[in-house]
Amino acid sequence: LSWAPDFCATAGGNGNANECGIGRHVGFVVHGLWPQDNGGLGPENCGPASPVAAPTVRFALQFYPTASLIQHEWATHGTCSGLSAADYFNAVGQVRSSVQIPVQFTSMTQQTQEGTAQIEGQFAAANSSFPAQAFRATCTQGSLQEVRVCFSKGLTPMACTASAGECSAPGMTILPPR
């Protein structure tokens, strides 16, 4: 789950009205469902990617901010899943719907500072049926970038491995949604 305010603070994100427009109040958005190698990075671009069909794009827009990100995620990660595009995005919907966003993030109105363990703990508390170690907060230049949620191949929550990464900064700036 990418934290949109961090993306929107970048030069590349500023022009994205769907995700970054003033008054949109976009917080966490799905960035992807990525096959992960527990010993390192997961596979990417595993085969030719036909464009995702319009009905599947319409379905996936409830989880992704733009159609172009849907097409990118299918080509980069979905093609490695062994699923059709429709089944891949149904899986995205299944796992996204299972994750509750902590109220601290859904009601945020001003910039704040929190530690990695604090953010991960908030997600664990909001998702008590998940292993507490199923969440990994990452950062860029000291700001919250994303919270990675780990699932097994069967799409059940699992503890993240070291390959999921984690922010090593003592604290992170969390920008509020626009």
Side-chain angles (χ1 to χ4, degrees):
L1 299 169
S2 292
W3 183 239
D6 180 64
F7 170 71
C8 296
T10 67
N14 231 357
N16 185 326
N18 287 340
E19 187 170 352
C20 302
I22 301 297
R24 298 276 302 162
H25 301 287
V26 178
F28 282 105
V29 298
V30 170
H31 185 185
L33 178 62
W34 304 345
Q36 188 71 34
D37 178 351
N38 289 338
L41 297 175
E44 293 185 355
N45 304 304
C46 295
S50 298
V52 178
T56 302
V57 170
R58 281 192 297 278
F59 168 78
L61 280 170
Q62 64 188 306
F63 308 109
Y64 293 89
T66 64
S68 62
L69 181 58
I70 292 166
Q71 298 292 347
H72 168 79
E73 290 303 311
W74 168 247
T76 307
H77 303 292
T79 58
C80 299
S81 69
L83 301 171
S84 68
D87 288 343
Y88 173 77
F89 288 107
N90 281 331
V92 168
Q94 177 185 337
V95 296
R96 174 57 190 95
S97 297
S98 73
V99 178
Q100 298 300 310
I101 304 297
V103 69
Q104 297 89 327
F105 293 96
T106 60
S107 63
M108 184 176 289
T109 59
Q110 59 188 349
Q111 181 174 309
T112 187
Q113 279 289 125
E114 292 187 8
T116 302
Q118 185 178 5
I119 294 167
E120 292 168 358
Q122 291 166 349
F123 269 83
N127 296 277
S128 60
S129 65
F130 285 46
Q133 302 78 22
F135 306 96
R136 291 288 170 90
T138 67
C139 60
T140 53
Q141 299 177 334
S143 292
L144 176 63
Q145 179 184 30
E146 54 190 26
V147 173
R148 297 175 179 170
V149 186
C150 298
F151 291 90
S152 71
K153 287 182 181 182
L155 303 182
T156 57
M158 63 176 261
C160 294
T161 64
S163 66
E166 190 169 47
C167 182
S168 60
M172 287 183 242
T173 300
I174 305 172
L175 302 171
R178 296 177 173 193

